[in-house]
Amino acid sequence: MSVFSEILHNWYTTNARDLPWRRTSDPYFIWLSEIILQQTRVDQGLDYYLRFVNRFPDIRSLAQANEDEVLHYWQGLGYYSRARNLHEAAKSMNGCFPTIYNKVLELKGVGPYTAAAICSIAYGMPYAVVDGNVYRVLSRYFDIKTPIDSTEGKREFAEWAQSLLDKDHPGEYNQAIMDFGAIQCTPAMPRCHDCPLSNSCLALAKNKVNQLPVKNHKTKTSARYFNYLLIRTSKTLWLHKRTDKDIWHNLYELPLIETPQQLDALQLLEDESFHLLTTAIGSQVQLSHIEKVKHVLSHRIIYADFYLLEIKETTIQLPVHYFPIPIAEWRNYAMPQLVYRFLEKNAVPK
Ligand code: SF4
Protein backbone atom coordinates (compact mmCIF):
# COMPACT_ATOMS: atom_id res chain seq x y z
CA MET A 1 0.00 0.00 0.00
CA SER A 2 1.33 3.51 -0.81
CA VAL A 3 1.98 6.01 1.99
CA PHE A 4 -0.93 8.06 0.64
CA SER A 5 -3.34 5.10 0.85
CA GLU A 6 -2.07 4.10 4.29
CA ILE A 7 -2.56 7.58 5.76
CA LEU A 8 -6.00 7.72 4.19
CA HIS A 9 -6.87 4.35 5.68
CA ASN A 10 -5.80 5.49 9.17
CA TRP A 11 -7.75 8.72 8.79
CA TYR A 12 -10.88 6.77 7.80
CA THR A 13 -10.58 4.47 10.80
CA THR A 14 -11.27 7.40 13.12
CA ASN A 15 -13.34 9.67 10.86
CA ALA A 16 -15.72 7.38 8.96
CA ARG A 17 -19.28 8.60 9.14
CA ASP A 18 -21.74 6.09 10.54
CA LEU A 19 -24.31 5.82 7.76
CA PRO A 20 -26.97 3.13 7.24
CA TRP A 21 -25.68 2.03 3.82
CA ARG A 22 -22.27 1.46 5.40
CA ARG A 23 -23.70 -1.24 7.65
CA THR A 24 -24.61 -3.49 4.73
CA SER A 25 -23.00 -5.18 1.78
CA ASP A 26 -26.32 -5.60 -0.04
CA PRO A 27 -25.75 -4.12 -3.52
CA TYR A 28 -29.36 -2.92 -3.72
CA PHE A 29 -28.97 -0.59 -0.72
CA ILE A 30 -25.53 0.55 -1.82
CA TRP A 31 -26.87 1.31 -5.29
CA LEU A 32 -29.78 3.31 -3.84
CA SER A 33 -27.46 5.32 -1.60
CA GLU A 34 -25.04 6.03 -4.45
CA ILE A 35 -27.79 7.27 -6.76
CA ILE A 36 -29.43 9.37 -4.04
CA LEU A 37 -26.08 10.93 -3.08
CA GLN A 38 -25.20 12.01 -6.62
CA GLN A 39 -25.52 15.82 -6.55
CA THR A 40 -26.95 15.62 -3.02
CA ARG A 41 -25.39 16.26 0.38
CA VAL A 42 -25.33 13.34 2.82
CA ASP A 43 -27.45 15.16 5.43
CA GLN A 44 -30.13 15.86 2.84
CA GLY A 45 -29.95 12.43 1.18
CA LEU A 46 -30.15 10.45 4.42
CA ASP A 47 -33.86 11.11 5.05
CA TYR A 48 -34.71 10.25 1.46
CA TYR A 49 -32.70 7.05 1.67
CA LEU A 50 -34.49 5.95 4.87
CA ARG A 51 -37.94 6.68 3.46
CA PHE A 52 -37.07 5.05 0.15
CA VAL A 53 -35.81 1.77 1.67
CA ASN A 54 -38.73 1.69 4.06
CA ARG A 55 -41.19 1.83 1.15
CA PHE A 56 -39.08 -0.14 -1.36
CA PRO A 57 -37.13 -2.64 0.77
CA ASP A 58 -35.97 -4.75 -2.17
CA ILE A 59 -35.59 -4.78 -5.94
CA ARG A 60 -39.00 -6.34 -6.54
CA SER A 61 -40.94 -3.77 -4.52
CA LEU A 62 -39.25 -0.98 -6.46
CA ALA A 63 -39.78 -2.73 -9.81
CA GLN A 64 -43.48 -3.28 -9.08
CA ALA A 65 -44.22 0.31 -7.98
CA ASN A 66 -45.64 2.73 -10.48
CA GLU A 67 -43.46 5.60 -11.65
CA ASP A 68 -45.68 8.27 -10.11
CA GLU A 69 -45.11 6.80 -6.68
CA VAL A 70 -41.34 6.51 -7.16
CA LEU A 71 -41.21 10.15 -8.26
CA HIS A 72 -43.31 11.10 -5.27
CA TYR A 73 -40.74 9.55 -2.92
CA TRP A 74 -38.05 11.49 -4.80
CA GLN A 75 -39.84 14.81 -4.66
CA GLY A 76 -37.55 17.62 -3.55
CA LEU A 77 -34.28 15.83 -4.34
CA GLY A 78 -34.08 17.20 -7.88
CA TYR A 79 -32.47 15.51 -10.89
CA TYR A 80 -35.58 13.40 -11.32
CA SER A 81 -34.04 11.33 -14.10
CA ARG A 82 -32.20 9.53 -11.29
CA ALA A 83 -35.52 8.25 -9.90
CA ARG A 84 -36.84 7.27 -13.32
CA ASN A 85 -33.59 5.43 -14.08
CA LEU A 86 -33.64 3.64 -10.70
CA HIS A 87 -37.13 2.43 -11.45
CA GLU A 88 -36.24 1.32 -15.00
CA ALA A 89 -33.11 -0.44 -13.77
CA ALA A 90 -35.01 -2.25 -11.00
CA LYS A 91 -37.52 -3.49 -13.59
CA SER A 92 -34.67 -4.80 -15.75
CA MET A 93 -33.07 -6.87 -12.94
CA ASN A 94 -35.65 -9.60 -12.62
CA GLY A 95 -35.28 -9.52 -8.83
CA CYS A 96 -31.49 -10.10 -8.75
CA PHE A 97 -28.82 -7.44 -8.61
CA PRO A 98 -26.10 -8.13 -11.19
CA THR A 99 -22.81 -9.41 -9.79
CA ILE A 100 -20.50 -8.63 -12.74
CA TYR A 101 -19.01 -5.15 -13.18
CA ASN A 102 -20.00 -4.86 -16.86
CA LYS A 103 -23.56 -5.89 -16.07
CA VAL A 104 -23.75 -3.34 -13.26
CA LEU A 105 -22.46 -0.74 -15.72
CA GLU A 106 -25.29 -1.63 -18.13
CA LEU A 107 -27.97 -0.63 -15.60
CA LYS A 108 -29.85 2.49 -16.57
CA GLY A 109 -28.37 5.55 -14.85
CA VAL A 110 -25.18 3.76 -13.77
CA GLY A 111 -21.87 5.13 -15.07
CA PRO A 112 -18.30 4.09 -14.29
CA TYR A 113 -18.28 5.95 -10.97
CA THR A 114 -21.42 4.27 -9.60
CA ALA A 115 -20.47 0.84 -10.96
CA ALA A 116 -17.05 1.11 -9.28
CA ALA A 117 -18.63 2.20 -5.99
CA ILE A 118 -21.20 -0.63 -5.97
CA CYS A 119 -18.76 -3.36 -7.06
CA SER A 120 -16.00 -2.33 -4.67
CA ILE A 121 -18.23 -1.81 -1.64
CA ALA A 122 -20.67 -4.70 -2.13
CA TYR A 123 -18.40 -7.29 -3.76
CA GLY A 124 -14.85 -6.16 -2.86
CA MET A 125 -13.91 -5.80 -6.55
CA PRO A 126 -10.81 -3.68 -7.31
CA TYR A 127 -12.42 -0.73 -9.11
CA ALA A 128 -11.42 2.79 -8.05
CA VAL A 129 -14.05 5.53 -7.92
CA VAL A 130 -13.40 8.94 -9.43
CA ASP A 131 -15.83 11.64 -8.35
CA GLY A 132 -15.51 15.32 -7.49
CA ASN A 133 -13.94 14.52 -4.12
CA VAL A 134 -11.35 12.23 -5.68
CA TYR A 135 -10.44 14.82 -8.34
CA ARG A 136 -9.91 17.41 -5.64
CA VAL A 137 -7.84 15.28 -3.26
CA LEU A 138 -5.60 13.82 -5.95
CA SER A 139 -5.08 17.07 -7.86
CA ARG A 140 -4.04 18.85 -4.67
CA TYR A 141 -1.97 16.14 -3.06
CA PHE A 142 -0.04 15.29 -6.25
CA ASP A 143 -0.27 18.78 -7.81
CA ILE A 144 -1.95 17.49 -11.00
CA LYS A 145 -2.76 20.44 -13.26
CA THR A 146 -4.54 18.62 -16.08
CA PRO A 147 -8.11 19.98 -16.34
CA ILE A 148 -10.54 17.52 -14.79
CA ASP A 149 -13.16 18.16 -17.47
CA SER A 150 -10.81 17.28 -20.36
CA THR A 151 -10.57 13.81 -21.94
CA GLU A 152 -6.92 13.67 -20.99
CA GLY A 153 -7.68 14.71 -17.41
CA LYS A 154 -10.38 12.08 -17.02
CA ARG A 155 -8.00 9.38 -18.22
CA GLU A 156 -5.10 10.63 -16.11
CA PHE A 157 -7.10 10.87 -12.89
CA ALA A 158 -8.67 7.44 -13.49
CA GLU A 159 -5.15 5.98 -13.79
CA TRP A 160 -3.96 7.72 -10.63
CA ALA A 161 -7.02 6.54 -8.72
CA GLN A 162 -6.66 2.96 -9.91
CA SER A 163 -2.94 2.82 -9.10
CA LEU A 164 -3.52 4.09 -5.54
CA LEU A 165 -6.45 1.76 -4.79
CA ASP A 166 -5.95 -0.58 -1.86
CA LYS A 167 -6.74 -3.81 -3.71
CA ASP A 168 -7.28 -5.73 -0.47
CA HIS A 169 -9.91 -3.30 0.78
CA PRO A 170 -11.18 -1.45 -2.30
CA GLY A 171 -14.60 -0.56 -0.87
CA GLU A 172 -13.12 0.90 2.29
CA TYR A 173 -10.45 2.79 0.34
CA ASN A 174 -13.04 4.29 -2.04
CA GLN A 175 -15.23 5.43 0.82
CA ALA A 176 -12.19 6.79 2.65
CA ILE A 177 -11.04 9.04 -0.20
CA MET A 178 -14.58 10.30 -0.86
CA ASP A 179 -15.14 11.06 2.83
CA PHE A 180 -11.72 12.69 3.04
CA GLY A 181 -12.67 15.01 0.18
CA ALA A 182 -16.04 15.78 1.75
CA ILE A 183 -14.78 16.38 5.30
CA GLN A 184 -11.08 17.31 5.22
CA CYS A 185 -10.00 18.42 1.75
CA THR A 186 -13.13 20.45 1.06
CA PRO A 187 -13.63 22.73 -1.98
CA ALA A 188 -13.53 25.94 0.07
CA MET A 189 -11.44 26.25 3.22
CA PRO A 190 -9.87 22.76 3.35
CA ARG A 191 -8.62 21.79 6.80
CA CYS A 192 -4.92 21.73 5.92
CA HIS A 193 -3.91 22.71 9.49
CA ASP A 194 -4.91 19.30 10.90
CA CYS A 195 -4.59 17.21 7.74
CA PRO A 196 -2.63 13.96 8.10
CA LEU A 197 -1.39 14.39 4.50
CA SER A 198 -0.09 17.92 5.02
CA ASN A 199 3.60 16.94 5.33
CA SER A 200 3.65 15.52 1.82
CA CYS A 201 0.87 17.51 0.07
CA LEU A 202 2.39 19.26 -2.96
CA ALA A 203 -0.34 21.87 -3.35
CA LEU A 204 0.11 22.92 0.27
CA ALA A 205 3.90 23.08 -0.12
CA LYS A 206 3.55 25.23 -3.24
CA ASN A 207 0.76 27.34 -1.78
CA LYS A 208 -1.61 26.34 -4.62
CA VAL A 209 -4.42 24.65 -2.74
CA ASN A 210 -7.06 27.09 -3.97
CA GLN A 211 -5.95 26.76 -7.59
CA LEU A 212 -6.65 23.03 -7.80
CA PRO A 213 -8.35 21.16 -9.33
CA VAL A 214 -8.21 22.94 -12.69
CA LYS A 215 -11.38 23.09 -14.78
CA ASN A 216 -11.52 24.24 -18.41
CA HIS A 217 -15.11 25.22 -18.74
CA LYS A 218 -17.48 26.93 -16.43
CA THR A 219 -20.97 25.43 -16.34
CA LYS A 220 -23.22 27.45 -18.65
CA THR A 221 -26.60 28.43 -17.28
CA SER A 222 -29.57 29.58 -19.29
CA ALA A 223 -32.64 31.48 -18.14
CA ARG A 224 -36.22 30.28 -18.60
CA TYR A 225 -39.40 32.21 -17.88
CA PHE A 226 -42.37 30.31 -16.47
CA ASN A 227 -45.83 31.74 -15.89
CA TYR A 228 -47.82 29.36 -13.71
CA LEU A 229 -51.58 29.63 -13.39
CA LEU A 230 -53.36 28.44 -10.29
CA ILE A 231 -56.79 27.95 -11.88
CA ARG A 232 -59.07 27.29 -8.96
CA THR A 233 -62.66 27.06 -7.83
CA SER A 234 -63.55 26.70 -4.15
CA LYS A 235 -62.90 22.93 -4.30
CA THR A 236 -60.91 22.24 -7.48
CA LEU A 237 -57.62 23.14 -9.09
CA TRP A 238 -56.08 22.11 -12.38
CA LEU A 239 -52.84 20.24 -12.96
CA HIS A 240 -50.81 19.12 -15.92
CA LYS A 241 -48.26 16.33 -16.37
CA ARG A 242 -44.91 17.24 -17.95
CA THR A 243 -44.52 14.60 -20.60
CA ASP A 244 -42.06 16.35 -22.93
CA LYS A 245 -38.37 15.43 -22.88
CA ASP A 246 -37.39 18.30 -20.65
CA ILE A 247 -36.66 19.04 -17.01
CA TRP A 248 -39.09 17.50 -14.52
CA HIS A 249 -40.19 14.84 -16.99
CA ASN A 250 -43.38 13.07 -15.77
CA LEU A 251 -43.84 15.35 -12.76
CA TYR A 252 -47.05 17.31 -12.26
CA GLU A 253 -47.36 21.07 -12.19
CA LEU A 254 -49.86 23.90 -12.56
CA PRO A 255 -50.90 24.99 -16.06
CA LEU A 256 -47.82 26.66 -17.47
CA ILE A 257 -47.12 29.26 -20.12
CA GLU A 258 -43.44 29.50 -20.88
CA THR A 259 -42.34 32.72 -22.58
CA PRO A 260 -39.04 33.82 -24.17
CA GLN A 261 -38.76 36.67 -21.66
CA GLN A 262 -40.32 37.75 -18.42
CA LEU A 263 -43.83 39.22 -18.82
CA ASP A 264 -45.91 41.30 -16.48
CA ALA A 265 -49.61 40.54 -15.92
CA LEU A 266 -50.80 42.87 -18.70
CA GLN A 267 -48.40 41.34 -21.22
CA LEU A 268 -49.46 37.86 -20.17
CA LEU A 269 -53.11 38.73 -20.77
CA GLU A 270 -52.12 39.64 -24.36
CA ASP A 271 -50.13 36.45 -24.89
CA GLU A 272 -51.52 34.04 -27.49
CA SER A 273 -50.78 30.91 -25.42
CA PHE A 274 -52.63 32.48 -22.53
CA HIS A 275 -55.67 33.05 -24.76
CA LEU A 276 -55.57 29.50 -26.01
CA LEU A 277 -55.38 28.13 -22.51
CA THR A 278 -58.10 30.31 -21.04
CA THR A 279 -60.60 30.48 -23.90
CA ALA A 280 -62.82 28.01 -22.05
CA ILE A 281 -62.89 30.30 -19.02
CA GLY A 282 -64.08 33.16 -21.19
CA SER A 283 -65.26 36.29 -19.48
CA GLN A 284 -64.57 34.89 -16.04
CA VAL A 285 -60.80 35.55 -16.32
CA GLN A 286 -59.56 37.54 -13.31
CA LEU A 287 -55.81 37.33 -13.10
CA SER A 288 -53.98 38.16 -9.85
CA HIS A 289 -50.23 38.03 -9.55
CA ILE A 290 -49.33 36.09 -6.39
CA GLU A 291 -45.61 35.52 -6.36
CA LYS A 292 -42.34 35.88 -8.25
CA VAL A 293 -39.70 33.21 -7.60
CA LYS A 294 -36.16 32.69 -8.84
CA HIS A 295 -35.38 28.97 -8.85
CA VAL A 296 -31.79 27.92 -9.50
CA LEU A 297 -31.03 24.51 -11.04
CA SER A 298 -27.60 23.22 -12.07
CA HIS A 299 -27.76 24.49 -15.66
CA ARG A 300 -30.79 26.75 -15.59
CA ILE A 301 -32.30 29.61 -13.71
CA ILE A 302 -36.07 29.60 -13.74
CA TYR A 303 -37.84 32.89 -13.24
CA ALA A 304 -41.36 31.91 -12.27
CA ASP A 305 -44.42 34.12 -11.89
CA PHE A 306 -47.43 32.59 -10.21
CA TYR A 307 -50.90 33.88 -10.98
CA LEU A 308 -54.28 33.05 -9.52
CA LEU A 309 -57.34 32.63 -11.73
CA GLU A 310 -60.28 32.24 -9.39
CA ILE A 311 -63.28 30.82 -11.26
CA LYS A 312 -66.79 29.79 -10.34
CA GLU A 313 -67.67 27.00 -12.76
CA THR A 314 -66.14 23.52 -12.59
CA THR A 315 -67.62 22.60 -15.95
CA ILE A 316 -65.04 24.54 -17.97
CA GLN A 317 -63.06 22.50 -20.46
CA LEU A 318 -59.40 23.38 -20.48
CA PRO A 319 -57.20 21.75 -23.15
CA VAL A 320 -57.11 17.97 -22.58
CA HIS A 321 -53.72 17.79 -20.93
CA TYR A 322 -54.98 19.91 -18.02
CA PHE A 323 -57.12 18.00 -15.57
CA PRO A 324 -59.04 19.04 -12.44
CA ILE A 325 -58.36 17.54 -9.02
CA PRO A 326 -59.95 18.14 -5.62
CA ILE A 327 -57.79 20.73 -3.86
CA ALA A 328 -57.43 18.44 -0.85
CA GLU A 329 -55.57 15.88 -3.02
CA TRP A 330 -52.84 18.02 -4.55
CA ARG A 331 -50.13 16.50 -2.32
CA ASN A 332 -50.74 13.08 -3.94
CA TYR A 333 -48.96 14.30 -7.07
CA ALA A 334 -45.16 14.37 -7.44
CA MET A 335 -44.17 17.95 -8.24
CA PRO A 336 -41.11 20.14 -8.68
CA GLN A 337 -40.26 21.85 -5.37
CA LEU A 338 -40.93 25.21 -6.96
CA VAL A 339 -44.60 24.35 -7.51
CA TYR A 340 -44.93 22.33 -4.31
CA ARG A 341 -43.78 25.27 -2.17
CA PHE A 342 -46.18 27.61 -3.91
CA LEU A 343 -49.13 25.26 -3.42
CA GLU A 344 -48.28 24.74 0.23
CA LYS A 345 -49.03 28.43 0.75
CA ASN A 346 -51.70 28.99 -1.87
CA ALA A 347 -53.61 25.83 -2.84
CA VAL A 348 -56.43 26.33 -0.38
CA PRO A 349 -58.58 29.47 -0.79
CA LYS A 350 -58.17 31.80 2.19
S1 SF4 B 1 -3.01 19.43 3.12
FE1 SF4 B 1 -4.84 20.54 2.53
S2 SF4 B 1 -4.90 20.45 0.31
FE2 SF4 B 1 -3.44 18.91 1.00
S3 SF4 B 1 -4.65 17.04 1.09
FE3 SF4 B 1 -4.69 17.95 3.12
S4 SF4 B 1 -6.52 19.21 3.17
FE4 SF4 B 1 -6.09 18.72 1.02
Side-chain angles (χ1 to χ4, degrees), residues 137 140-141 180 184-185 190-192 195 197-198 201 203-204 209:
V137 174
R140 288 175 176 169
Y141 184 77
F180 188 83
Q184 189 87 36
C185 194
R191 293 171 44 184
C192 302
C195 173
L197 292 170
S198 60
C201 174
L204 185 65
V209 172

Side-chain angles (χ1 to χ4, degrees), residues 4 136-142 180-181 183-186 189-205 208-210 212:
F4 172 84
R136 190 166 56 256
V137 174
L138 296 186
S139 65
R140 288 175 176 169
Y141 184 77
F142 294 104
F180 188 83
I183 296 170
Q184 189 87 36
C185 194
T186 50
M189 296 200 294
R191 293 171 44 184
C192 302
H193 60 281
D194 64 355
C195 173
L197 292 170
S198 60
N199 283 341
S200 42
C201 174
L202 290 179
L204 185 65
K208 295 172 61 181
V209 172
N210 293 330
L212 293 166

Side-chain angles (χ1 to χ4, degrees), residues 229-247:
L229 306 178
L230 170 54
I231 303 175
R232 186 179 70 188
T233 68
S234 58
K235 293 199 173 67
T236 308
L237 62 80
W238 273 256
L239 291 182
H240 152 75
K241 188 170 186 175
R242 292 181 66 91
T243 52
D244 290 347
K245 290 270 176 239
D246 191 8
I247 54 166

Side-chain angles (χ1 to χ4, degrees), residues 1-16 134 137-138 164 172-181 184-185 195-197:
M1 210 194 311
S2 68
V3 175
F4 172 84
S5 308
E6 201 174 327
I7 294 176
L8 210 56
H9 176 267
N10 291 340
W11 177 89
Y12 190 60
T13 309
T14 47
N15 290 281
V134 176
V137 174
L138 296 186
L164 292 161
E172 202 173 294
Y173 170 86
N174 279 335
Q175 291 177 94
I177 192 166
M178 289 191 287
D179 264 19
F180 188 83
Q184 189 87 36
C185 194
C195 173
L197 292 170

